[in-house]
Amino acid sequence: MSVLVLIEPDDELALQAVTLARSLGGPVQGISIGPADAPVDVLHVAQVDGSYAPGAWAAAVVQLVERLAPSAVVAPGSDRGNEVLAHVAARLDLPLAANVTEMRGDEVTRQRWGGSLLEEARLGEGLKLLTAAPHAFEAAAGRAGATESFAPALAEADTAVRVVESVGASTGGISLAEAKVVVSGGRGVGSAEGFAVLEELAGLLGGAVGCSRVVTSAGWRPHADQVGQTGTKVSPELYVACGISGATQHIAGCKGAKKLLAINGDPEATIFAHADYAVIGDLHEILPAISAELRKARAA
Amino acid sequence: MRILVAVKRVPITGGRIVLTDDGQAIQTRHLGFTISPHEECGVEEAVRIVEAQGGEVVVLTLGPAEAEEQLRECMAIGADRGIHLVSDEEWDAQATAAALVEAIRAEAPFDLIVFGNESADAGNYQVGIRVAYALGLPIVTGLKGLVVSDGRARAEQETASGRDVYEVGLPAIVTVKEGLNLPRYPSVPAKLRANRKPVAAQAVGRPPSRLQKLRLVVPAGRGKQAEILGRGPEAAPAVVEIMRRLGVA
Ligand SMILES: Cc1cc2nc3c(=O)[nH]c(=O)nc-3n(C[C@@H](O)[C@H](O)[C@H](O)COP(=O)(O)OP(=O)(O)OC[C@H]3O[C@@H](n4cnc5c(N)ncnc54)[C@H](O)[C@@H]3O)c2cc1C
Ligand SMILES: Cc1cc2nc3c(=O)[nH]c(=O)nc-3n(C[C@H](O)[C@H](O)[C@H](O)COP(=O)(O)OP(=O)(O)OC[C@H]3O[C@@H](n4cnc5c(N)ncnc54)[C@H](O)[C@@H]3O)c2cc1C
């Protein structure tokens, strides 16, 4: 039996989902809504007109499932991947395991708490539905072996919810998700004004400023700056955590960083257990000293 | 406007997750509890809509007897009453959705039903969508913006390149993310008022799980020993040296 993978064009997470699908054994077939490419044996391109409509995508997947009778359907662990597969699960009345990191037979390992905890679970009989946890798999490389086109039958209800307008982001500064350096502050920063020393260092390094949830809840920074399980997940070369204690929900957002430097007044702070480099002391003294040292080094 | 918000009690795990000896649950003896920040924003949004347009906000939870605490917290934000489906067991997403659907049907009609995008703990991203199918209602997920007027909802999702906008007629279901709004800190009088608001509790029995949890595992840490660069501002040269080595200075 084959495995069916939901492919989104130019999506790294979809290529990671292909790797999970390959690990299940058997031929791997893909489904994309409109043109795409991915290293699957056969890519089925569904002809669905218009903007993104989760119900229409789910209808296309369900119709292909009926035709191919795969053993599993895998989607990327992206917002859309999780959404479309939950629609498929509701339509077929089947369980769905989201953010899977491994599958053996009918047992899966999946992420809880944004990856701070793993759950081993058993999926019942029949078709398995799973999404691949982001960055838990290498991206598969190559091109589709063959491409086939099909036109799913869509009911009116399938397209009742669809994107009616897409608005571009206001491009101000370096995006948190893409930044090579993130200088992030927590409760220890003490106030909105206190972030000036983080802004200064981030500016010198061409990086972005992030923060913890305590900071956004206090209204010191907008939620767009929040790093963590319910904020942005970042993967910079260097993450500088200043006055952040290291709660699991914060770490869930910055564990993708290549290196972590923690600056904290409490030598026992949990953040140090996640850090590559540690500086102990008051961030309000340390950050200006680092910025001054950087300027000095550049002038020399 | 009648709005229902579904919330789930979860532990505040702090810096390190410790499991019970049988690996079936998080050791919560010393922990406080809360709801997901997504759901908190859902409650705040519902309360703001009703404050502006009139109506009622009902909060619904499936969970142990102690989950009444979370219903009270939601009522301190401004929800009018609670529905508590009481069970000590763990329900899979399909069973959870089925129980919520039954409770919602008994209280219908609602103009708007609000879920978190994903729960804080299990995070299966699906209860809201399953409820939408069972009730035959349109659903938009992952919202960071919502405007409800004239029987319609304009809903905004954040994407990598900006925002996607949806428009649906009410009644509808939405799932929301933190950042939709900045929830208020409940005042002391609001907390006292919340204690007097009605909660309808009802025991419910759990059907068999189709996604069956076997055990929980705390992932192995990176096994790191942080290199201490120093104490106080004297550490600055060592920090800059590291930044140079990493190629970011
Ligand atoms: C002791 C214990 C054992 C468990 N065993 C299993 C198991 O064997 N298999 C399994 O899959 N899960 C298990 N769970 C987790 C299970 O209860 C999940 O919460 C349930 O599957 C719902 O899925 P989710 O939380 O992933 O929902 P999601 O789809 O991520 O939740 C989305 C939204 O749905 C709403 N919602 C979710 N749950 C509730 C609720 N209880 N009350 C009101 N609204 C809610 C919230 O608005 C939430 O933001 C267990 C939990 C406990 C405490
Ligand atoms: C479901 C759920 C989701 C969550 N999602 C997120 C999320 O996405 N992101 C997030 O960040 N949190 C999230 N949280 C909250 C999280 O649990 C913590 O409460 C939060 O991360 C703590 O923020 P903090 O480290 O800034 O504050 P604290 O824990 O209060 O830590 C402050 C730290 O600053 C240090 N400090 C104080 N003054 C100084 C100084 N002058 N110089 C140096 N150090 C100093 C202290 O030693 C301490 O370690 C979530 C919680 C839940 C339950």
Side-chain angles (χ1 to χ4, degrees):
Chain A
M1 280 208 290
S2 64
V3 176
L4 183 62
V5 191
L6 178 66
I7 303 295
E8 278 194 78
D10 307 317
D11 181 11
E12 174 82 9
L13 299 183
L15 300 178
Q16 296 170 12
V18 171
T19 302
L20 168 58
R22 290 258 175 237
S23 78
L24 305 183
V28 173
Q29 313 214 32
I31 175 168
S32 68
I33 313 301
D37 199 7
V40 292
D41 302 323
V42 182
L43 181 65
H44 301 265
V45 180
Q47 307 301 328
V48 177
D49 291 336
S51 57
Y52 174 65
W57 286 38
V61 172
V62 167
Q63 285 168 39
L64 196 59
V65 162
E66 281 160 2
R67 182 145 60 85
L68 302 176
S71 59
V73 182
V74 181
S78 56
D79 286 342
R80 283 189 179 179
N82 280 323
E83 177 176 44
V84 171
L85 220 56
H87 275 262
V88 170
R91 283 165 186 249
L92 298 174
D93 192 25
L94 286 171
L96 157 63
N99 288 320
V100 168
T101 58
E102 199 186 338
M103 182 156 183
R104 308 155 304 276
D106 62 357
E107 283 186 28
V108 295
T109 303
R110 57 172 302 274
Q111 294 181 338
R112 286 188 171 211
W113 287 101
S116 306
L117 185 63
L118 298 173
E119 168 187 6
E120 293 176 3
R122 181 174 294 131
L123 278 159
E125 300 280 292
L127 178 66
K128 312 280 187 287
L129 303 179
L130 33 149
T131 67
H135 310 299
F137 304 92
E138 298 285 328
R143 312 196 61 113
T147 302
E148 282 179 19
S149 174
F150 79 109
L154 297 181
E156 208 174 302
D158 295 331
T159 52
V161 175
R162 78 174 334 150
V163 174
V164 294
E165 190 185 332
S166 290
V167 190
S170 52
T171 44
I174 295 142
S175 102
L176 190 56
E178 311 276 306
K180 280 184 71 182
V181 180
V182 175
V183 183
S184 203
R187 191 197 302 272
V189 177
S191 64
E193 300 71 46
F195 272 86
V197 290
L198 284 85
E199 303 261 9
E200 184 190 18
L201 180 59
L204 281 169
L205 297 170
V209 172
C211 68
S212 75
R213 179 163 187 257
V214 165
V215 169
T216 49
S217 297
W220 299 345
R221 309 281 302 182
H223 182 265
D225 288 355
Q226 181 177 316
V227 172
Q229 183 181 333
T230 51
T232 302
K233 310 232 173 3
V234 300
S235 47
E237 298 293 319
L238 178 64
Y239 187 79
V240 187
C242 314
I244 293 176
S245 63
T248 51
Q249 296 86 12
H250 187 83
I251 300 299
C254 64
K255 63 175 187 246
K258 297 243 169 52
K259 297 287 177 189
L260 194 153
L261 162 64
I263 302 176
N264 198 301
D266 173 8
E268 303 297 320
T270 314
I271 189 77
F272 289 129
H274 301 276
D276 299 277
Y277 310 106
V279 177
I280 298 158
D282 184 347
L283 68 94
H284 289 291
E285 295 173 6
I286 295 164
L287 288 175
I290 297 172
S291 294
E293 187 68 25
L294 265 173
R295 286 208 178 84
K296 204 170 80 187
R298 283 181 191 174
Chain B
M1 289 286 291
R2 292 190 76 222
I3 308 181
L4 181 129
V5 190
V7 302
K8 178 181 179 185
R9 173 184 169 91
V10 297
I12 304 173
T13 55
R16 205 164 71 88
I17 294 181
V18 180
L19 299 179
T20 53
D21 290 341
D22 62 3
Q24 289 298 306
I26 292 177
Q27 177 60 263
T28 55
R29 209 179 309 140
H30 306 293
L31 301 181
F33 287 80
T34 186
I35 59 173
S36 161
H38 297 327
E39 293 156 21
E40 201 179 321
C41 287
V43 175
E44 174 70 32
E45 195 72 12
V47 169
R48 286 186 193 182
I49 294 169
V50 163
E51 281 172 349
Q53 305 183 17
E56 180 188 36
V57 177
V58 181
V59 275
L60 167 63
T61 196
L62 164 66
E66 295 80 4
E68 186 182 330
E69 182 193 339
Q70 279 60 51
L71 292 177
R72 299 274 172 216
E73 284 165 12
C74 297
M75 291 190 283
I77 295 174
D80 298 290
R81 62 191 175 92
I83 303 174
H84 187 176
L85 308 177
V86 186
S87 168
D88 281 332
E89 289 180 294
E90 188 165 17
W91 295 52
D92 75 1
Q94 276 173 290
T96 301
L100 299 185
V101 163
E102 216 174 295
I104 293 168
R105 282 214 175 104
E107 297 277 336
F110 290 100
D111 301 293
L112 188 66
I113 303 176
V114 183
F115 288 85
N117 186 62
E118 82 275 2
S119 70
D121 58 347
N124 274 306
Y125 294 82
Q126 56 187 253
V127 170
I129 292 173
R130 289 187 190 274
V131 170
Y133 274 87
L135 296 176
L137 294 177
I139 176 157
V140 194
T141 67
L143 303 188
K144 289 265 183 100
L146 180 63
V147 179
V148 173
S149 63
D150 302 328
R152 295 191 69 75
R154 184 181 160 91
E156 291 188 5
Q157 264 170 2
E158 219 165 63
T159 65
S161 54
R163 292 193 159 213
D164 279 347
V165 184
Y166 298 76
E167 272 181 20
V168 288
L170 302 183
I173 300 190
V174 295
T175 82
V176 302
K177 285 190 179 176
E178 189 181 25
L180 176 66
N181 53 44
L182 186 58
R184 70 196 72 181
Y185 281 114
S187 64
V188 172
K191 285 183 187 165
L192 293 174
R193 268 199 305 281
N195 285 332
R196 294 193 301 271
K197 291 181 181 176
V199 171
Q202 171 199 341
V204 286
R206 183 188 70 136
S209 279
R210 293 173 69 186
L211 176 66
Q212 193 194 340
K213 182 186 69 183
L214 301 172
R215 67 193 73 80
L216 300 176
V217 183
V218 178
R222 291 202 278 181
K224 274 197 275 193
Q225 183 67 47
E227 180 185 340
I228 298 178
L229 301 180
R231 285 180 177 264
E234 289 72 43
V239 171
V240 171
E241 178 52 33
I242 293 288
M243 288 173 170
R244 291 190 130 174
R245 255 199 271 150
L246 298 176
V248 299

mmCIF file of all heavy atoms in Angstrom, chain A residues 78-96:
data_model
loop_
_atom_site.group_PDB
_atom_site.id
_atom_site.type_symbol
_atom_site.label_atom_id
_atom_site.label_comp_id
_atom_site.label_asym_id
_atom_site.label_seq_id
_atom_site.Cartn_x
_atom_site.Cartn_y
_atom_site.Cartn_z
ATOM 1 N N SER A 78 2.507 22.382 9.274
ATOM 2 C CA SER A 78 2.328 23.822 9.133
ATOM 3 C C SER A 78 0.892 24.161 9.513
ATOM 4 O O SER A 78 0.072 23.269 9.718
ATOM 5 C CB SER A 78 2.579 24.219 7.677
ATOM 6 O OG SER A 78 1.710 23.474 6.829
ATOM 7 N N ASP A 79 0.582 25.464 9.589
ATOM 8 C CA ASP A 79 -0.804 25.858 9.891
ATOM 9 C C ASP A 79 -1.765 25.195 8.903
ATOM 10 O O ASP A 79 -2.760 24.601 9.296
ATOM 11 C CB ASP A 79 -0.961 27.379 9.804
ATOM 12 C CG ASP A 79 -0.331 28.085 11.000
ATOM 13 O OD1 ASP A 79 -0.088 27.409 12.018
ATOM 14 O OD2 ASP A 79 -0.072 29.301 10.913
ATOM 15 N N ARG A 80 -1.426 25.297 7.600
ATOM 16 C CA ARG A 80 -2.334 24.727 6.601
ATOM 17 C C ARG A 80 -2.340 23.206 6.617
ATOM 18 O O ARG A 80 -3.387 22.582 6.448
ATOM 19 C CB ARG A 80 -1.961 25.227 5.205
ATOM 20 C CG ARG A 80 -2.423 26.644 4.989
ATOM 21 C CD ARG A 80 -2.266 27.076 3.555
ATOM 22 N NE ARG A 80 -2.752 28.442 3.432
ATOM 23 C CZ ARG A 80 -2.747 29.132 2.301
ATOM 24 N NH1 ARG A 80 -2.260 28.581 1.194
ATOM 25 N NH2 ARG A 80 -3.215 30.360 2.273
ATOM 26 N N GLY A 81 -1.173 22.593 6.827
ATOM 27 C CA GLY A 81 -1.107 21.135 6.867
ATOM 28 C C GLY A 81 -1.968 20.586 7.991
ATOM 29 O O GLY A 81 -2.775 19.662 7.782
ATOM 30 N N ASN A 82 -1.816 21.158 9.187
ATOM 31 C CA ASN A 82 -2.626 20.712 10.322
ATOM 32 C C ASN A 82 -4.107 20.974 10.067
ATOM 33 O O ASN A 82 -4.962 20.160 10.402
ATOM 34 C CB ASN A 82 -2.190 21.429 11.608
ATOM 35 C CG ASN A 82 -0.947 20.820 12.233
ATOM 36 O OD1 ASN A 82 -0.761 19.598 12.216
ATOM 37 N ND2 ASN A 82 -0.079 21.648 12.778
ATOM 38 N N GLU A 83 -4.409 22.125 9.453
ATOM 39 C CA GLU A 83 -5.809 22.486 9.222
ATOM 40 C C GLU A 83 -6.464 21.532 8.218
ATOM 41 O O GLU A 83 -7.536 20.982 8.476
ATOM 42 C CB GLU A 83 -5.906 23.927 8.715
ATOM 43 C CG GLU A 83 -7.348 24.333 8.398
ATOM 44 C CD GLU A 83 -7.487 25.789 7.986
ATOM 45 O OE1 GLU A 83 -6.666 26.271 7.187
ATOM 46 O OE2 GLU A 83 -8.428 26.442 8.474
ATOM 47 N N VAL A 84 -5.795 21.334 7.082
ATOM 48 C CA VAL A 84 -6.409 20.503 6.034
ATOM 49 C C VAL A 84 -6.587 19.072 6.539
ATOM 50 O O VAL A 84 -7.638 18.451 6.339
ATOM 51 C CB VAL A 84 -5.562 20.527 4.739
ATOM 52 C CG1 VAL A 84 -6.069 19.496 3.743
ATOM 53 C CG2 VAL A 84 -5.577 21.922 4.127
ATOM 54 N N LEU A 85 -5.588 18.546 7.256
ATOM 55 C CA LEU A 85 -5.717 17.166 7.702
ATOM 56 C C LEU A 85 -6.776 17.011 8.797
ATOM 57 O O LEU A 85 -7.441 15.976 8.878
ATOM 58 C CB LEU A 85 -4.368 16.597 8.144
ATOM 59 C CG LEU A 85 -4.194 15.145 7.684
ATOM 60 C CD1 LEU A 85 -4.363 14.991 6.189
ATOM 61 C CD2 LEU A 85 -2.883 14.557 8.128
ATOM 62 N N ALA A 86 -6.965 18.050 9.616
ATOM 63 C CA ALA A 86 -8.056 17.997 10.601
ATOM 64 C C ALA A 86 -9.406 17.990 9.886
ATOM 65 O O ALA A 86 -10.339 17.299 10.306
ATOM 66 C CB ALA A 86 -7.966 19.168 11.579
ATOM 67 N N HIS A 87 -9.515 18.742 8.778
ATOM 68 C CA HIS A 87 -10.748 18.679 7.975
ATOM 69 C C HIS A 87 -10.947 17.264 7.427
ATOM 70 O O HIS A 87 -12.052 16.728 7.459
ATOM 71 C CB HIS A 87 -10.670 19.667 6.803
ATOM 72 C CG HIS A 87 -11.083 21.073 7.148
ATOM 73 N ND1 HIS A 87 -12.331 21.563 6.889
ATOM 74 C CD2 HIS A 87 -10.396 22.077 7.728
ATOM 75 C CE1 HIS A 87 -12.407 22.828 7.283
ATOM 76 N NE2 HIS A 87 -11.239 23.173 7.804
ATOM 77 N N VAL A 88 -9.866 16.676 6.916
ATOM 78 C CA VAL A 88 -9.951 15.310 6.371
ATOM 79 C C VAL A 88 -10.387 14.347 7.479
ATOM 80 O O VAL A 88 -11.267 13.506 7.282
ATOM 81 C CB VAL A 88 -8.593 14.880 5.767
ATOM 82 C CG1 VAL A 88 -8.590 13.395 5.418
ATOM 83 C CG2 VAL A 88 -8.271 15.727 4.529
ATOM 84 N N ALA A 89 -9.789 14.489 8.666
ATOM 85 C CA ALA A 89 -10.113 13.604 9.795
ATOM 86 C C ALA A 89 -11.577 13.731 10.186
ATOM 87 O O ALA A 89 -12.249 12.737 10.470
ATOM 88 C CB ALA A 89 -9.213 13.931 10.993
ATOM 89 N N ALA A 90 -12.082 14.967 10.190
ATOM 90 C CA ALA A 90 -13.489 15.178 10.555
ATOM 91 C C ALA A 90 -14.401 14.566 9.491
ATOM 92 O O ALA A 90 -15.414 13.955 9.809
ATOM 93 C CB ALA A 90 -13.775 16.670 10.721
ATOM 94 N N ARG A 91 -14.014 14.716 8.216
ATOM 95 C CA ARG A 91 -14.840 14.165 7.134
ATOM 96 C C ARG A 91 -14.878 12.639 7.174
ATOM 97 O O ARG A 91 -15.908 12.027 6.897
ATOM 98 C CB ARG A 91 -14.310 14.609 5.769
ATOM 99 C CG ARG A 91 -14.673 16.047 5.430
ATOM 100 C CD ARG A 91 -13.861 16.587 4.271
ATOM 101 N NE ARG A 91 -14.150 18.006 4.099
ATOM 102 C CZ ARG A 91 -14.809 18.514 3.047
ATOM 103 N NH1 ARG A 91 -15.222 17.723 2.079
ATOM 104 N NH2 ARG A 91 -15.048 19.797 2.976
ATOM 105 N N LEU A 92 -13.738 12.022 7.490
ATOM 106 C CA LEU A 92 -13.661 10.561 7.476
ATOM 107 C C LEU A 92 -13.930 9.957 8.854
ATOM 108 O O LEU A 92 -13.935 8.744 9.006
ATOM 109 C CB LEU A 92 -12.281 10.120 6.978
ATOM 110 C CG LEU A 92 -11.929 10.542 5.541
ATOM 111 C CD1 LEU A 92 -10.489 10.176 5.207
ATOM 112 C CD2 LEU A 92 -12.898 9.883 4.549
ATOM 113 N N ASP A 93 -14.122 10.811 9.870
ATOM 114 C CA ASP A 93 -14.290 10.369 11.259
ATOM 115 C C ASP A 93 -13.167 9.424 11.689
ATOM 116 O O ASP A 93 -13.389 8.323 12.177
ATOM 117 C CB ASP A 93 -15.665 9.722 11.477
ATOM 118 C CG ASP A 93 -15.960 9.541 12.960
ATOM 119 O OD1 ASP A 93 -15.393 10.297 13.774
ATOM 120 O OD2 ASP A 93 -16.743 8.625 13.314
ATOM 121 N N LEU A 94 -11.935 9.880 11.474
ATOM 122 C CA LEU A 94 -10.757 9.101 11.860
ATOM 123 C C LEU A 94 -9.918 9.913 12.841
ATOM 124 O O LEU A 94 -9.956 11.140 12.819
ATOM 125 C CB LEU A 94 -9.903 8.800 10.618
ATOM 126 C CG LEU A 94 -10.437 7.743 9.659
ATOM 127 C CD1 LEU A 94 -9.603 7.735 8.388
ATOM 128 C CD2 LEU A 94 -10.442 6.369 10.318
ATOM 129 N N PRO A 95 -9.124 9.224 13.688
ATOM 130 C CA PRO A 95 -8.206 9.975 14.546
ATOM 131 C C PRO A 95 -7.109 10.641 13.723
ATOM 132 O O PRO A 95 -6.790 10.187 12.624
ATOM 133 C CB PRO A 95 -7.629 8.913 15.485
ATOM 134 C CG PRO A 95 -7.917 7.600 14.864
ATOM 135 C CD PRO A 95 -9.077 7.783 13.925
ATOM 136 N N LEU A 96 -6.550 11.718 14.252
ATOM 137 C CA LEU A 96 -5.438 12.419 13.599
ATOM 138 C C LEU A 96 -4.367 12.658 14.647
ATOM 139 O O LEU A 96 -4.655 13.187 15.720
ATOM 140 C CB LEU A 96 -5.926 13.761 13.039
ATOM 141 C CG LEU A 96 -4.880 14.860 12.813
ATOM 142 C CD1 LEU A 96 -3.848 14.440 11.770
ATOM 143 C CD2 LEU A 96 -5.559 16.157 12.365
#
